[in-house]
Every structure is written in C-alpha cells, then in structure tokens.
Amino acid sequence: MSQVSSANVVITPAYAQRLLDNTAEINKNNLSARRHRNICQRTVSLYKRDMINGDWALNGEVISLDSAGAVMNGMHRLHACVAADVCFTTFLAKNVDCAAIDRFDTGLSRTFSDVLRGKGEKHSKLLAATVSYICRYESGTLQSPHRISNSELQRVLERHPGVRTHVAYVSGFYRRLRLSAFAAVSYIASLHNTTIASEFMKKVDTGSGLRRGDIHVVAMRDFLRPGSFRGRAAQYRRFVLVANAMNAEMLPEPPRSFGPKQRERFSGIAGVPYGQIIQTNLENYGPSPLTAFQP
C-alpha cells in the first residue's frame, strides 16, 4: 500500500469539479465505495457564503483522497468551491486507507457559543443565541432552517456590540424563561425607542409599572415557559410572541393577538424594518443602546 502523503494546495473550482467527477465515476463502478454522506445543500450554502465573503481560512482540516483518487471527506467543501467559483487553500492528503472513512467527521462541531467562550465573553451561550436572532431578523430568515456560520455571527456581533448590555440584563431574569428572545427583542426595539424598550423589560422582569390592560406581558411570560412551544418552529414562535408584545407597548393600535399564526407574515418590530441590515446610527434609530439603555 502506498504511503499517505499530504500537501498544502490551492483548490480551484475546476480542480474541485474534477475531483468530484472522478469520485462519481469511481463510485459508479464500485458499489462498495458508495459510503459518502448525502450532500446537505444547507451546509454547501453555508460554506459558499464564507468563501465568497473571504471568511474561509486554512485551519488544518484535510481533504482526503484514497489510492484511486476518490474523495473520502471534504465533499461539501468541494461543492461549495464550485458553487462559489472561488479558490480556497487546504491540506490535501492522498492514498488514505479506505477503511478510515468510517472515522471521519465524528467530532463535535464548534458552536458560536464555544467561540465566544474561548474569547472570554460573559454569558456566551445566551449571547450566541441572541446574536443568532438578530442575524435572522436582519436577513428575514426567522422561519428558515438555513444555517448561519460562526463568521457571519461574529460580524453581526461586531456591528451590534450594544447587545451585550441586554444579554447581561436578561441573564438575571427568571431562569426558566427563554431569555435569548427577550434579549434580542429588547435590543432591536431599543434602537427605535430606548425608553419604551426599557419599561417593557422591567414589566417582564419584576412587574414594575404594570397597568390594567398589560395582560399581554403576563400572558407572554406564561407562554414562554419550557414546553410551551415544541418542534422546529419553536424558536420563531417565541421571538414573534415577544416582538408582538413589545409592539403592543410601542404602537398606538396594538396587535389583536400576540401568538404567531401559521399564515400570518411577521412584519417586524415597530420602527426597525424586518429583513434589512439594522442601522445603529443615532440619526436613524434614536439613542444608542450602549449609553441610554438602563433597565
């Protein structure tokens, strides 16, 4: 058996396509070689965006070829390279034993929470979930199952450093509440009206300032307890419930219902367009949450 060799190489879209075509041809003639995972288009799309945005980095991960030149692991990266039409640099290993394929990709993926914890961020898990909400709010994909890369989330956090203030505040809430939806909604709403956002969060936290007619705040807390929402759409439904309750505070004519409806299109938080990059300059969105949000 030939010795395994590896080198640092630049994978061009043409070379990536050639490796994929060669693998398909080998697999067609050798049924026992068909042991690749199915291609996940969401993962390909995730890698493609990172490559196009220049966020793809040489991190030591290897693309492995067997003795016949078939790809053993790295299929998603190669598909993304072709789709993005962008070159990337990686380590390429050749003559890898075919039996090793069962041991590829068995590790735990590094989450954005892991990244933040490694950087010494406080409340890393809550902060990661909150930033994910903000990213999906800006892209208009709260209902979409598409994946977001750690690089994309990091750029959102860099544009919205003030979210840390809101995460720190809600971290002291009743622990059984789903806190990330509160942190995200309060931050986004504060970019339009800091005072109302602050008063709303005090009502949710302590009941301070509750008035007759504020039943939506009490009802929302009950709805957000563990087990209230289940399934894939739970994250979206929680966010919309908190956002609608916030809108009830901010709008002259509050919504008639607060829970998300299946056929109802979410229109966003008052004053902050849904599906657009959120501007944080004072002229467009009022006081900066970094200085003015004091729950």
Side-chain angles (χ1 to χ4, degrees), residues 193-206:
N193 193 314
T194 304
T195 301
I196 292 180
S198 178
E199 290 174 352
F200 173 82
M201 296 306 285
K202 286 179 181 178
K203 291 179 183 180
V204 173
D205 183 22
T206 66

Side-chain angles (χ1 to χ4, degrees), residues 8-37:
N8 185 356
V9 300
V10 175
I11 304 291
T12 65
Y15 185 36
Q17 188 62 63
R18 193 156 64 247
L19 288 173
L20 292 171
D21 291 343
N22 185 49
T23 302
E25 187 64 27
I26 292 172
N27 288 348
K28 184 171 65 175
N29 298 323
N30 182 5
L31 294 179
S32 64
R34 294 183 179 179
R35 292 187 291 172
H36 295 102
R37 295 179 296 177

Side-chain angles (χ1 to χ4, degrees), residues 8 22 75 77 83 109-110 148 159 187-188 208 265:
N8 185 356
N22 185 49
M75 297 285 284
R77 282 168 278 170
S109 297
R110 187 176 299 274
I148 307 171
R159 287 192 290 103
Y187 171 73
I188 295 171
S208 173
R265 181 179 175 84

Side-chain angles (χ1 to χ4, degrees), residues 259-280:
K261 296 180 179 179
Q262 270 190 329
R263 298 182 181 180
E264 188 176 277
R265 181 179 175 84
F266 177 59
S267 57
I269 296 170
V272 186
Y274 177 59
Q276 298 181 26
I277 297 297
I278 300 173
Q279 304 299 321
T280 56

Side-chain angles (χ1 to χ4, degrees), residues 88-281:
F88 73 101
T89 303
T90 188
F91 287 98
L92 184 69
K94 298 181 179 180
N95 298 316
V96 177
D97 185 358
C98 291
I101 195 169
D102 296 333
R103 296 172 178 83
F104 287 139
D105 304 316
T106 57
L108 186 65
S109 297
R110 187 176 299 274
T111 66
F112 189 49
S113 174
D114 296 329
V115 173
L116 294 176
R117 188 179 301 110
K119 293 182 177 182
E121 290 275 6
K122 296 180 180 179
H123 316 295
S124 58
K125 188 173 182 179
L126 176 57
L127 179 58
T130 303
V131 171
S132 176
Y133 268 130
I134 295 172
C135 184
R136 291 185 182 279
Y137 187 94
E138 289 189 324
S139 60
T141 56
L142 282 169
Q143 285 181 284
S144 172
H146 92 283
R147 294 175 60 191
I148 307 171
S149 73
N150 291 340
S151 299
E152 290 171 317
L153 292 171
Q154 182 62 47
R155 284 202 303 274
V156 171
L157 179 57
E158 289 169 357
R159 287 192 290 103
H160 298 284
V163 71
R164 293 181 176 90
T165 303
H166 297 255
V167 167
Y169 177 62
V170 304
S171 67
F173 277 22
Y174 178 50
R175 288 289 177 180
R176 289 174 65 84
L177 289 175
R178 303 295 184 172
L179 302 180
S180 56
F182 286 102
V185 169
S186 71
Y187 171 73
I188 295 171
S190 74
L191 296 176
H192 176 62
N193 193 314
T194 304
T195 301
I196 292 180
S198 178
E199 290 174 352
F200 173 82
M201 296 306 285
K202 286 179 181 178
K203 291 179 183 180
V204 173
D205 183 22
T206 66
S208 173
L210 273 173
R211 304 180 305 272
R212 184 183 297 274
D214 284 340
I215 189 63
H216 59 276
V217 178
V218 179
M220 181 187 59
R221 285 183 57 132
D222 291 338
F223 275 126
L224 289 175
R225 297 183 192 283
S228 56
F229 291 136
R230 299 183 184 276
R232 196 153 132 192
Q235 186 182 41
Y236 165 74
R237 296 178 67 195
R238 291 189 193 106
F239 183 92
V240 172
L241 184 62
V242 179
N244 283 344
M246 178 70 80
N247 285 339
E249 295 281 315
M250 302 180 78
L251 297 173
E253 294 185 10
R256 294 181 179 179
S257 63
F258 300 99
K261 296 180 179 179
Q262 270 190 329
R263 298 182 181 180
E264 188 176 277
R265 181 179 175 84
F266 177 59
S267 57
I269 296 170
V272 186
Y274 177 59
Q276 298 181 26
I277 297 297
I278 300 173
Q279 304 299 321
T280 56
N281 57 304

